[in-house]
């Protein structure tokens, strides 16, 4: 039993190491490609920039700057759905939605953004960030009832995560709904 476990463990580590085997030269080449793509983008050569970003992605598909830059370009080209697709990949890799530009891209097609966030929340191993994104999208849509329902579902599924953060999110929703009693109750929990 011990041998089997060790063999499975070593195979897993070996496979993971094989996937992460990007050399320093390749990393530098990828950064250079992204930098060159950014320069092309600023000059208005969007097609050239996308070609370079696609080439950079082939070196290491886990390099989040590729997705952010493509999102920016697709947004500039008015290709909203492609921009949102790239945004979802970026969030999937970084688990971060705090950049104002990301929210601006989401706002351009809230229904499509919601649909994609729901797909990612069910198909990824780190669905918490996408559940939070779904709540944000509901708030942007002024659909506070579904935001609260999603939040309560998330509370049931993931509690305890970091109660203070979730209480602040809940407070934001309640503020928009003007439920002052709930705000005071939840803020008290944050202070404790």
């Amino acid at each position: 039993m011990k041998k089997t476990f060790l063999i499975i463990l070593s195979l897993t580590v070996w496979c993971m190491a094989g996937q992460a085997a990007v050399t320093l030269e390749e990393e530098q080449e990828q950064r250079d490609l992204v930098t060159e793509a950014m320069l092309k983008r600023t000059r208005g050569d969007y097609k050239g920039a996308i070609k370079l970003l696609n080439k950079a992605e082939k070196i290491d598909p886990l390099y989040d700057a590729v997705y952010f830059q493509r999102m920016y370009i697709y947004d500039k080209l008015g290709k909203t759905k492609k921009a949102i697709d790239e945004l979802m990949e970026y969030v999937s890799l970084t688990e971060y939605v705090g950049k104002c530009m990301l929210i601006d891209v989401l706002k351009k097609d809230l229904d499509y953004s919601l649909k994609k966030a729901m797909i990612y929340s069910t198909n990824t191993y780190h669905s918490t960030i996408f559940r939070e994104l779904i709540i944000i999208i509901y708030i942007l849509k002024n659909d506070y009832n579904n935001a609260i329902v999603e939040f309560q579902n998330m509370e049931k599924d993931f509690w305890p995560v970091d109660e203070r953060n979730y209480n602040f999110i809940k407070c934001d929703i309640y503020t928009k709904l003007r439920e002052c009693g709930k705000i005071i109750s939840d803020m008290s929990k944050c202070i404790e």
Side-chain angles (χ1 to χ4, degrees), residues 81-110:
K81 288 184 179 180
K82 281 189 169 191
I84 291 168
D85 291 342
E86 295 295 328
L87 179 150
M88 294 298 166
E89 283 298 317
Y90 175 77
V91 169
S92 177
L93 292 172
T94 62
E95 297 188 35
Y96 180 69
V97 291
K99 292 189 176 189
C100 293
M101 183 177 179
L102 298 180
I103 300 299
D104 290 342
V105 170
L106 287 172
K107 284 181 182 179
K108 292 185 178 177
D109 190 339
L110 289 170

Side-chain angles (χ1 to χ4, degrees), residues 10-31:
S10 60
L11 281 174
T12 304
V13 170
W14 181 75
C15 288
M16 287 171 42
Q19 288 178 340
V22 177
T23 66
L24 291 173
E25 292 81 20
E26 289 172 324
E27 277 184 34
Q28 186 59 50
E29 179 186 357
Q30 189 174 42
R31 280 194 298 272

Side-chain angles (χ1 to χ4, degrees), residues 88-89 92 117 119-130:
M88 294 298 166
E89 283 298 317
S92 177
I119 290 169
Y120 271 80
S121 90
T122 57
N123 294 339
T124 60
Y125 66 92
H126 52 273
S127 67
T128 313
I129 192 67
F130 288 102

Side-chain angles (χ1 to χ4, degrees), residues 130-142:
F130 288 102
R131 301 276 298 268
E132 289 176 22
L133 189 60
I134 290 167
I135 293 168
I136 290 168
I137 294 167
Y138 277 133
I139 291 169
L140 292 171
K141 289 178 70 140
N142 296 319

